[in-house]
Amino acid sequence: MGKFMKSGKVVLVLGGRYAGRKAVIVKNYDDGTQDRPYGHALVAGIDKYPLKVTKPMGKKRIAKRSKIKTFVKVVNYNHLMPTRYTVDLNADKNIVNKDVLKDGAKRKRARTEIKQKLEERYKTGKNKWFFQNLIFSLLRYV
């Protein structure tokens, strides 16, 4: 079976603080590393999705509702569910990489870099499904 967890692949985070959030693989480590001897990936995703925007809203309100909160994290493959979709992020590899996550200031810089890329993509209207919250309608059947 081929390797399908590649950079640009959209995944769902299944466990932890960001469970149920969509993310994009920035870099994958199929064979693991010295400190993490299992398959894992550096993912960048959306922590807080943009809110719905309607026609009568003003520019200021639209700008406020179109904000995105992002996260950058290293996640075990067992806690990721791949989708068939891909998103080309074009993130700067010097700013967004695994070593950056150890330092708080650099981590924040990486998050803002991802935030700019995702907001730019949201405003152009590409990949609308990526910027919508996952809704599980299980309560209907209870």
Side-chain angles (χ1 to χ4, degrees):
M1 191 163 135
K3 300 197 189 307
F4 51 88
M5 294 283 220
K6 295 178 180 160
S7 51
K9 175 72 81 177
V10 176
V11 294
L12 299 177
V13 180
L14 300 176
R17 179 179 177 179
Y18 302 110
R21 302 287 197 273
K22 292 177 194 150
V24 180
I25 295 178
V26 177
K27 180 140 176 55
N28 60 323
Y29 301 91
D30 290 326
D31 301 324
T33 57
Q34 192 71 31
D35 57 331
R36 294 175 192 259
Y38 47 84
H40 58 281
L42 175 67
V43 297
I46 301 177
D47 185 17
K48 188 177 175 195
Y49 293 90
L51 299 170
K52 187 177 179 182
V53 174
T54 58
K55 249 185 187 172
M57 290 182 187
K59 287 181 182 175
K60 191 175 179 183
R61 192 165 184 198
I62 288 173
K64 194 167 180 78
R65 292 175 75 89
S66 297
K67 289 220 164 75
I68 296 172
K69 187 177 180 187
T70 57
F71 67 90
V72 179
K73 191 172 172 59
V74 176
V75 184
N76 187 332
Y77 279 167
N78 293 339
H79 305 296
L80 295 176
M81 186 170 89
T83 64
R84 63 182 176 176
Y85 303 107
T86 56
V87 171
D88 192 26
L89 257 185
N90 295 332
D92 187 6
K93 301 291 183 197
N94 296 331
I95 298 172
V96 183
N97 60 38
K98 205 171 167 186
D99 304 327
V100 165
L101 300 181
K102 293 178 177 79
D103 182 29
K106 289 181 181 176
R107 178 189 281 254
K108 188 168 184 174
R109 174 106 194 274
R111 266 189 28 221
T112 53
E113 168 83 10
I114 295 295
K115 181 179 179 172
Q116 288 171 352
K117 299 282 184 191
L118 288 176
E119 281 183 352
E120 179 184 306
R121 196 158 193 86
Y122 174 69
K123 286 177 181 144
T124 58
K126 291 182 180 175
N127 309 108
K128 284 188 177 180
W129 51 268
F130 184 72
F131 299 101
Q132 292 173 350
N133 203 350
L134 276 179
I135 298 171
F136 298 102
S137 54
L138 297 174
L139 297 175
R140 216 180 319 170
Y141 302 109
V142 175

